[in-house]
Structure formats: structure tokens, C-alpha cells
Amino acid sequence: MSYYYPFGETVHPLVQQDRTPKKVFVLGVYASAVHARWKQGNKIICQALAVASEPRIFWDGNPEEAAEIIGRIHIPKELGILEPAGSHLNGPSAKVLDEHILAPLGYTRKDAWLCDLLPETRINSSQAKVIKEKYNPKIEQYGLNPVTIPNRPTAFCDSKRCEEILSELKESQAELLVLLGDIPIKQFLGRVAHIDYSSLQEYVDLFGYGNKSEVVINGQAINVLPLAHPRQIGALGSHSEKWNLAHIDWEKKQ
């Protein structure tokens, strides 16, 4: 089944493109999207409307790519224009990944196999609000497509998806598994390995923040490193100061 963004782009799954062996496997939660600023004249309707799938997993928000992707989207002239959202609104998690997770560990993007529990984007509460209040009332008058992307779920990973991720992990040949936040710990690692923790806090209580430990997955030992979600690490919008400071301290020690 296809899902559609405002103004008609189709949702595409984002998966690792470079399938050569890697040193580290990074598991996030769910895919983000390309965000546009929607304007009518001098009025901003929405500062950051999700309008297309990112060109690749953990996209860095390259402004030229953003402009090209958004420029392909048709919007009735009566409804204004779409332009790239602010630089901090496209690709912020990727910048955190590169600068504050991979770099302190001594890796570059070329060393990493990237994966999300859910490889497609979902609609969060702020996007749902603007779609309901600003976009939906114009659908009938202007012949717009309904937005069919599901809302952000609470369960991101079922048993079938766990098997797919395990297959990617094996293919990657990575010796280190980095988990971003609570959800990959609980919904993936807790399903595929015997562990005594189900959250980042519980892990930190056992091993300390930023310390690796060993688990056995499908009979194979691998080092795991649960870290805070990029939102917390990069202080992106609403975030936990505790985890932000814990990560800053960890970086200083690397």
C-alpha cells in the first residue's frame, strides 16, 4: 500500500545503500522526511511541512538536494509556494550522528551501516495538526490528495521486522551495534537477545553511559553501545538536559 505526503509525493522506505562490510551498525527508530516551508505571500502557513521522503537514510539535509526535491512538487499557485525549511529542520539527526556519535568513536559515515526500526516516515503530532487545520480544508476545492501516512505509532518493530534487521546486521559484518535511545533497546534488542535492561537508564545503571557491553545474538557475540537519541544529544527542540549533558561528558572522554 502506498502512502502520500501533502501535495502528492509517495512515501519511500529508507535503507542502507552501500552494502559493503562495515565496522558499526547504527539502529534508530523511524525515518524522517524532507521538510518544506509553506508560504502564501508574506504569510508562513507552516515552517516545516513534511513533503517527501529523504533521498537516503540519515540524510544530512543538503540544501541543494532539498531545493531540487521540493522544486519537483506541484502546488496550486493559489496556495502559495514551497521552499526548503530552515537548515536546522532538515537532517538535524544526521548531523548529530556524524559529529557526536560516529566521530567520537573514530568512525566516518563510510564505516557505518545505518538502519531504522521503521524504515518509513510517520506523522507526528505537530505535522498532524497542520495537516488537519491548514491542508485538509483545501483538499476538495483544489483537488489535493488526502494525506494517508499513518500517525507515529508506539510499536515500531514487529517480529518480521526484527528478522529483517537481524539479516542486515549479519550482512553488515559490524562488530559494534549502536542503539539510539530507549525504543531500539526495548523493541529490538530485548526481542533478539537475553538482556537485563529495557531502557537506556537501566543500561546506564548497569554499565555507565557510553560504555560498551557484550550480548549474544543468534549465537554470535557482538558489542552493543546504547546511546541517547539524537534529539537528546543535539538538544533538538524538546529534549532531556540529563541525557544531553551525559553525552557531552562522554564525548569529552573519547
Side-chain angles (χ1 to χ4, degrees):
M1 178 180 178
S2 295
Y3 298 129
Y4 294 95
Y5 288 95
F7 304 111
E9 287 292 296
T10 305
V11 173
H12 301 292
L14 301 180
V15 297
Q16 177 72 13
Q17 295 177 353
D18 175 6
R19 316 287 286 199
T20 56
K22 302 299 177 188
K23 297 177 181 178
V24 58
F25 189 101
V26 179
L27 183 60
V29 181
Y30 71 113
S32 188
V34 178
H35 291 84
R37 183 183 294 111
W38 178 10
K39 294 173 62 178
Q40 280 185 291
N42 294 324
K43 181 181 179 182
I44 296 176
I45 306 301
C46 181
Q47 285 282 9
L49 181 68
V51 293
S53 293
E54 293 186 332
R56 55 192 166 274
I57 190 170
F58 278 94
W59 174 60
D60 64 0
N62 180 285
E64 292 181 359
E65 285 184 306
E68 180 183 353
I69 292 166
I70 293 167
R72 297 197 299 260
I73 299 171
H74 171 72
I75 174 172
K77 62 181 182 180
E78 297 89 347
L79 297 184
I81 63 170
L82 299 176
E83 60 185 23
S87 58
H88 64 293
L89 298 171
N90 275 320
S93 292
K95 295 164 189 170
V96 170
L97 173 67
D98 290 344
E99 298 172 14
H100 300 289
I101 297 174
L102 295 179
L105 290 169
Y107 300 132
T108 68
R109 184 69 73 95
K110 291 181 180 180
D111 299 313
W113 186 296
L114 308 179
C115 185
D116 281 313
L117 295 176
L118 181 60
E120 297 178 343
T121 195
R122 290 295 182 259
I123 297 295
N124 61 29
S125 57
S126 62
Q127 291 290 311
K129 185 174 187 292
V130 74
I131 289 168
K132 178 181 178 180
E133 295 179 358
K134 305 297 184 181
Y135 182 85
N136 287 351
K138 297 175 173 61
I139 287 177
E140 185 173 353
Q141 182 179 356
Y142 294 98
L144 304 177
N145 65 283
V147 177
T148 55
I149 306 170
N151 290 335
R152 183 186 188 278
T154 54
F156 295 88
C157 184
D158 58 17
S159 57
K160 179 177 181 293
R161 180 59 185 155
C162 278
E163 289 300 321
E164 294 171 349
I165 295 169
L166 285 173
S167 178
E168 286 194 46
L169 180 59
K170 182 178 180 180
E171 185 181 352
S172 75
Q173 300 180 38
E175 298 178 349
L176 176 64
L177 170 61
V178 173
L179 305 165
L180 302 181
D182 288 335
I183 295 175
I185 296 172
K186 185 173 184 178
Q187 297 192 20
F188 174 73
L189 193 63
R191 287 174 177 240
V192 302
H194 176 71
I195 56 175
D196 297 322
Y197 49 89
S198 60
S199 69
L200 181 59
Q201 184 60 64
E202 291 177 3
Y203 182 90
V204 170
D205 290 342
L206 290 170
F207 302 103
Y209 186 85
N211 293 326
K212 303 171 188 175
S213 65
E214 186 177 88
V215 300
V216 176
I217 300 176
N218 282 353
Q220 186 74 35
I222 186 171
N223 285 320
V224 298
L225 178 59
L227 294 173
H229 188 275
R231 172 179 287 276
Q232 320 300 346
I233 293 172
L236 306 175
S238 176
H239 67 279
S240 164
E241 184 178 6
K242 178 184 76 171
W243 291 124
N244 175 256
L245 294 175
H247 194 87
I248 290 172
D249 288 342
W250 172 76
E251 281 194 75
K252 290 177 180 177
K253 296 173 184 176
Q254 300 307 301

